Amino acid sequence: YKVAEVAYQQLLLLPGLTADEQTQYHNKQAMAVYQQAADLERAGKTEEAAAGFLRVAQVYPQADIRKNADFTAAALYLKLEKYAAAIPILTAFEARYPNDELSATIPAKLAVAYEKTGDYTQAAAQLEVISDHYAQKDKEMARQALWKAAQMQDRANNPAASTHLYD
């Protein structure tokens, strides 16, 4: 796939390409980068794979495969317990794709990542988002998320915020 990436890079230098051709070749180049990262992941080179998936956006930010690449990179960093690396990827993903079904999973991932990095206030905020999401669907889940948010505020030394959440 490295050869394909370079070949598409060379094709993009040709004069006279239409906008559609440029988009097509950029997407194919980004897919070649994605496949390289997938190969690294299959080879057990998880951290290199995560960086490779992020490279998709560097090669072509509008790539069709970017959403999958970004989400996979974040998931791999979480798997590696590199929470600080995962946080900006997850927050950018949520901002870039607010209505995507994968974005619904982001608050739980961020809550864990923020807790693991010691940012208990942000962890609590994500748990409140989870509680709001479940308020009508699953009242017990919503209650548990608020309880955990209050505990996070306690750990952050925010007694006013935790008291409000315990109420």
Side-chain angles (χ1 to χ4, degrees), residues 11-27:
L11 275 172
L12 286 162
L13 297 175
L14 294 175
L17 292 176
T18 67
D20 285 345
E21 289 171 327
Q22 287 179 359
T23 298
Q24 178 185 3
Y25 293 145
H26 275 299
N27 272 311

Side-chain angles (χ1 to χ4, degrees), residues 5-14 29:
E5 177 189 356
V6 172
Y8 287 118
Q9 189 175 21
Q10 293 302 312
L11 275 172
L12 286 162
L13 297 175
L14 294 175
Q29 182 185 23

Side-chain angles (χ1 to χ4, degrees), residues 106-157:
I106 300 288
K109 291 172 176 36
L110 282 173
V112 169
Y114 283 129
E115 179 181 8
K116 296 292 187 178
T117 58
D119 191 342
Y120 305 119
T121 301
Q122 287 296 330
Q126 293 301 317
L127 288 159
E128 287 185 66
V129 169
I130 294 167
S131 178
D132 290 346
H133 176 75
Y134 284 102
Q136 300 303 316
K137 301 174 194 171
D138 186 339
K139 292 195 184 295
E140 179 58 22
M141 177 71 83
R143 188 191 66 75
Q144 288 178 18
L146 272 184
W147 185 263
K148 180 81 172 166
Q151 291 175 323
M152 290 295 108
Q153 292 290 13
D154 283 341
R155 290 178 77 183
N157 249 349

